Amino acid sequence: MRRVRFLIAAGAASLLSSAAFAADMPLAPPPYAPPPAADFGGWYLRGDIGMSSQSVKKLDNALYSTLTSLNQRTGFDSAGIYGIGVGYQFNNWLRGDITGEYRGKSNFHGLDIITFDNGGTPGFGSDTYTGSKSEWLFLANGYVDLGTWYCVTPFIGAGVGMSRNTISNFVDQGVGSLAGGGIGPSLAYGDNASKWNFAWALHAGLAYKVTNNLTLEMSYRYVNLGNGVTGDLRTFDGTNSVYNPMQFHDITSQDVRFGMRWDLNSPPVYAPPPLITKG
């Protein structure tokens, strides 16, 4: 009996000693996890470069009404694209931005094969055109992000805005002949001219998130730039009997672009709570 009392007393003393030691130890911090990320982004800046592949539906001129027939071939060389913009990420799937870009000078080349009637005498000829075209393009764009796999996000979008199309260094070199002979070569120039137009665009591409702040893009864009116009066409000596600028109808472009988006909202940094000690 005395031995049992001794063992009970020894156990109680050991428990009291352990409790006193634990009271002097700092409390363990509670499990901590940062709050979930909010379902929105914020402001971002963007920059883009690319190349264009442009076309024009048709050329028109006041003198075309006098022709018997017209067969037209036209084309543009590729040119560079340089743009900047600012945007806002509304949530994980919707964002929008406003962009401005300069579309570099693209060399133009065209050919008209014509037949005409000169006072009852049939004639035929050709006109070869050269010149260049450039634009300032301003768009308000909206995009839908379609989900993210391994940091890659496909997206689609659309934009509307304005385009200032400039036609410069336009030259018309012609040659013609009547059935009985006559009519030789001709040469005409058009002054540089610019025209503002409504413009719209469709986008599709892939975005790759490099860091929390940096996203790279590769995209395709179809853009309708509206119309363009030259100054009045005049002969080499500066004369012209009728006002006949060359009209460029329905200019479109298929663009390939590489872009960068920089998130202006730094990701939050979470610090663990301070250790709590018992005084």
Side-chain angles (χ1 to χ4, degrees):
M1 187 65 176
R2 181 178 301 173
R3 180 177 177 82
V4 172
R5 290 176 181 173
F6 175 79
L7 290 175
I8 292 174
S14 176
L15 289 175
L16 289 175
S17 175
S18 298
F21 179 78
D24 292 334
M25 291 290 290
L27 296 176
Y32 180 76
D39 188 25
F40 65 88
W43 293 101
Y44 63 84
L45 299 177
R46 71 174 302 138
D48 299 275
I49 59 173
M51 296 295 291
S52 65
S53 176
Q54 305 180 73
S55 61
V56 58
K57 185 175 182 179
K58 69 174 183 177
L59 301 186
D60 198 9
N61 189 281
L63 298 180
Y64 283 173
S65 61
T66 66
L67 302 179
T68 305
S69 68
L70 171 67
N71 182 16
Q72 201 168 81
R73 304 171 188 173
T74 60
F76 292 95
D77 294 339
S78 185
I81 301 169
Y82 315 93
I84 57 174
V86 60
Y88 191 82
Q89 181 88 38
F90 295 98
N91 51 44
N92 286 336
W93 56 271
L94 181 63
R95 56 188 169 87
D97 54 41
I98 296 174
T99 59
E101 69 181 37
Y102 174 71
R103 302 171 60 87
K105 284 188 176 181
S106 174
N107 293 327
F108 172 74
H109 39 86
L111 175 66
D112 282 346
I113 306 297
I114 61 175
T115 61
F116 56 92
D117 187 292
N118 186 15
T121 303
F124 62 91
S126 66
D127 287 276
T128 301
Y129 307 123
T130 58
S132 60
K133 179 181 64 65
S134 60
E135 299 91 21
W136 285 98
L137 177 63
F138 303 94
L139 292 173
N141 305 286
Y143 310 91
V144 176
D145 292 329
L146 302 177
T148 301
W149 295 267
Y150 303 100
C151 299
V152 176
T153 304
F155 64 87
I156 57 174
V160 295
M162 299 292 292
S163 177
R164 185 177 186 268
N165 304 332
T166 299
I167 308 295
S168 55
N169 305 316
F170 187 83
V171 178
D172 175 0
Q173 294 178 297
V175 61
S177 177
L178 295 175
I183 303 182
S186 63
L187 184 64
Y189 301 90
D191 289 335
N192 299 351
S194 299
K195 187 179 189 311
W196 282 99
N197 298 270
F198 172 76
W200 58 271
L202 298 175
H203 310 265
L206 298 173
Y208 179 75
K209 196 172 186 65
V210 180
T211 68
N212 286 329
N213 293 99
L214 178 63
T215 301
L216 301 182
E217 283 186 4
M218 181 177 67
S219 65
Y220 162 84
R221 179 179 65 185
Y222 175 86
V223 57
N224 188 303
L225 299 162
N227 303 327
V229 63
T230 70
D232 186 25
L233 294 187
R234 303 185 308 276
T235 59
F236 67 94
D237 61 359
T239 62
N240 191 10
S241 59
V242 61
Y243 180 70
N244 65 328
M246 189 65 73
Q247 307 279 344
F248 289 65
H249 289 287
D250 200 12
I251 301 169
T252 59
S253 182
Q254 301 189 62
D255 303 334
V256 175
R257 300 190 305 158
F258 299 91
M260 177 191 75
R261 300 201 314 261
W262 182 259
D263 185 1
L264 297 179
N265 300 273
S266 299
V269 176
Y270 300 106
L275 298 177
I276 302 174
T277 59
K278 183 175 180 181

